[in-house]
Amino acid sequence: MLLGCIADDLTGATDLALMLTRGGMRTVQVMQVPDKGTDLSGFDAVVVALKTRTCPVGEAVSLSLAAADALLAGGARQLFFKYCSTFDSTDEGNIGPVAEALLNHLGARQAIVCPAFPTNKRTVYQGNLFVGDVPLAESPMKDHPLTPMRDSNLVRVLQRQTKLKVGLVPFAVVDAGAEAIKITMAAADQRDEHFLVLDAITDRHLVDMGTAAAGMKLITGGSGVALGLPANFVRQGLMKAAAAPASMRAPTGRALILAGSCSAATRGQVQAAIAAGLPTLRLDPLALASGEMNSARIIAWAKDQSAERPPLVYSSADPDTVATAQAKLGRDKAGVIVEEALANAAIGLADAGFSRMIVAGGETSGAVVNGLGVTTLEIGPEIDPGVPWTRAIGGRDMVLALKSGNFGAPDFFLKAWDKLS
C-alpha cells in the first residue's frame, strides 16, 4: 500500500476511490477500520469509509486514529483525510479536530487543506469556498439540516475548529505552480502555520498542489486533491499506472433507486426521473414515524412494479418540508427514521432479487451498505464526476452506485445503467 485514506462518510470515500482509480492506482474501499492482520498488500490505495462527519467529536477522532494506525500498519507511506467538497462541519468540528489529531499522531508539522473540485463547481479563491458562482454561505448548503454552512471563508471556519494556526496559500501562488507552492508552504512553516488552505479554481491547480505535497505525511481535502497524487508514486518508481475501467459486469437481477438526500441536486434528479416516467414512491418521515408507512410496504410496492424500469423510492424534499418534519420529530430522529426504512427495504429487496442499486445521499448510503452487510467495494466505471459503479466483494453479489447528495447531473438516475454489462 502506498496511500492510506480516511473518509468521513461513505459516498465521499467512493468519490475519492474513483479519483485514485482514474489516476491509475489499484484501489479498494473498505467500510470499517481494517482488522489487524487484514491483507491489503494487493492495492496501491486503500480508502476506509467511516461515518464521522456528524458524530460526536471524540468518536470521530478515535475512529480516525484507529483507521490511521491500521493503514500505517499496512504500509501506507502517506495518509489522506477526505471530507466533503462543501466542507460540511459545524464550528465544533469535525474536520478540524480530526485533522489536528492526525497531524499530531503522525508527528508532522503541516498539512494542506483544500476541498475544491472544479469539475463539480467547487472552487476556492482567497480562502473562500464557492459552490458554482456563489459563495458557500449563499448556496443551498446554508440550509443543510445537519451542517448548515454560514461562513464561506475556510480559514475562519477551520480556525474555529482547531488550536493550531491556519494560513492561506493564495491564488497567485497556486497559479504559479508546484514549486511556488512548496516555497510558500516552507515560509508558512516558519510562521508556525500548521494548516494551509490552498486556493484552486482549475484541475491544474489541484495537480500542482498534489505534486507539491508529495513529501507530506498528511494531506486533507476533497477528492479533487487526489488528481495529483498517483503521479507522485509513479515518478518515485513505486507503481505503474493501470487503466481505469470503462464498464462493469453486473449480476443478473432487478434495478432499484433509493434517494434519501434532500440536496438540490438530488431533488432535481428525482424530478427528472418522475418526468421520464419512472415509477416513484415518496416517503414522508411523519408517515414512517406513525407506522402509516413502513419498509414492508416499500418492499411490496417495489416488487409490484414492472421490471422494465427501475422504481424510485425517495424522501427528498425541500428545506421547508424537511424543517417541518424535524420540528415534529427532532432533527436527528427525522433522518434516522428515513435511513432505517430505506436500509430495511434494501435488505428485503436484495433478498427478492434486486441486485443493481443506486443510493443517493451519504447517510442513506451508509445505512444501506451496513444493512446489506457489504464490507468491501471494487471500484468500477465513472457515471458522473465523483460517482462510480461499485461491486461488492464477498457476501452478496450486487453492484451499487453510492451517490453524494450534491453530485450528479439531472439525468443521473436515468443514464447510470448504461455503464453496466
Side-chain angles (χ1 to χ4, degrees):
M1 194 201 321
L2 301 172
L3 183 65
C5 306
I6 303 162
D8 68 356
D9 86 331
L10 179 61
T11 55
T14 308
D15 173 16
L16 176 58
L18 170 63
M19 189 68 73
L20 296 172
T21 300
R22 283 176 49 193
M25 299 190 86
R26 296 168 301 162
T27 307
V28 69
Q29 178 176 333
V30 296
M31 302 302 124
Q32 58 190 8
V33 177
D35 295 329
K36 288 184 179 180
T38 301
D39 183 10
L40 301 173
S41 60
F43 302 96
D44 301 314
V46 176
V47 183
V48 180
L50 301 178
K51 191 175 180 181
T52 54
R53 182 167 297 172
T54 57
C55 71
V57 170
E59 181 182 345
V61 168
S62 177
L63 286 170
S64 300
L65 291 178
D69 284 338
L71 293 167
L72 293 169
R77 296 166 181 250
Q78 188 175 55
L79 293 185
F80 189 122
F81 170 39
K82 196 275 177 192
Y83 39 78
C84 188
S85 62
T86 44
F87 213 74
D88 299 19
S89 55
T90 65
D91 281 350
E92 291 73 35
N94 291 346
I95 294 174
V98 170
E100 181 177 325
L102 290 171
L103 195 69
N104 292 334
H105 195 61
L106 292 169
R109 290 239 345 136
Q110 198 174 64
I112 64 173
V113 176
C114 185
F117 194 169
T119 303
N120 273 348
K121 299 183 179 180
R122 313 289 194 267
T123 56
V124 182
Y125 181 72
Q126 297 301 325
N128 291 280
L129 179 56
F130 287 78
V131 177
D133 296 328
V134 301
L136 177 67
E138 298 175 23
S139 76
M141 277 302 299
K142 71 180 185 299
D143 297 317
H144 192 284
L146 298 179
T147 55
M149 300 303 294
R150 305 291 169 80
D151 188 348
S152 306
N153 188 286
L154 298 185
V155 176
R156 288 196 303 259
V157 172
L158 184 58
Q159 193 63 80
R160 291 194 290 266
Q161 299 179 9
T162 176
K163 298 184 293 291
L164 301 179
K165 190 174 181 181
V166 182
L168 172 68
V169 180
F171 173 79
V173 172
V174 176
D175 197 48
E179 191 59 32
I181 295 171
K182 289 176 66 174
I183 292 170
T184 301
M185 290 194 303
D189 185 43
Q190 296 299 309
R191 299 191 298 269
D192 287 328
E193 293 176 354
H194 297 286
F195 290 120
L196 295 176
V197 175
L198 277 77
D199 284 352
I201 62 172
T202 69
D203 285 352
R204 178 177 66 81
H205 297 145
L206 296 172
V207 171
D208 286 344
M209 75 175 65
T211 301
M216 303 184 84
K217 292 183 179 180
L218 176 67
I219 295 170
T220 87
S223 64
V225 178
L227 277 173
L229 301 184
N232 290 340
F233 299 113
V234 173
R235 282 190 291 269
Q236 295 167 26
L238 298 173
M239 61 167 270
K240 293 182 179 179
S247 63
M248 174 169 268
R249 291 187 62 190
T252 301
R254 293 185 61 181
L256 174 70
I257 306 167
L258 302 173
S261 169
C262 293
S263 72
T266 298
R267 297 200 311 270
Q269 290 153 2
V270 168
Q271 291 307 311
I274 293 172
L278 264 61
T280 58
L281 175 66
R282 182 181 179 276
L283 301 184
D284 179 356
L286 299 176
L288 290 169
S290 69
E292 179 183 345
M293 174 60 70
N294 56 39
S295 56
R297 293 188 178 184
I298 298 170
I299 293 167
W301 175 84
K303 290 168 65 175
D304 283 345
Q305 305 309 307
S306 168
E308 295 182 1
R309 310 202 77 181
L312 165 62
V313 181
Y314 71 98
S315 63
S316 310
D318 60 72
D320 289 341
T321 303
V322 172
T324 299
Q326 289 180 334
K328 293 182 178 180
L329 300 174
R331 188 191 72 169
D332 294 336
K333 185 177 179 181
V336 169
I337 287 172
V338 171
E339 291 162 21
E340 289 181 348
L342 291 175
N344 290 331
I347 296 168
L349 290 169
D351 291 340
F354 285 76
S355 60
R356 306 174 179 208
M357 295 188 187
I358 294 174
V359 188
E363 300 295 325
T364 305
S365 293
V368 168
V369 165
N370 288 337
L372 292 171
V374 176
T375 60
T376 311
L377 291 174
E378 171 192 352
I379 307 302
E382 182 177 50
I383 303 166
D384 269 335
V387 194
W389 276 109
T390 69
R391 187 162 188 164
I393 299 175
R396 296 178 185 271
D397 187 14
M398 62 190 310
V399 291
L400 298 159
L402 307 170
K403 187 190 81 69
S404 169
N406 293 307
F407 283 8
D411 62 347
F412 183 91
F413 293 159
L414 306 173
K415 69 181 182 182
W417 317 101
D418 296 339
K419 298 283 187 178
L420 299 178
S421 60

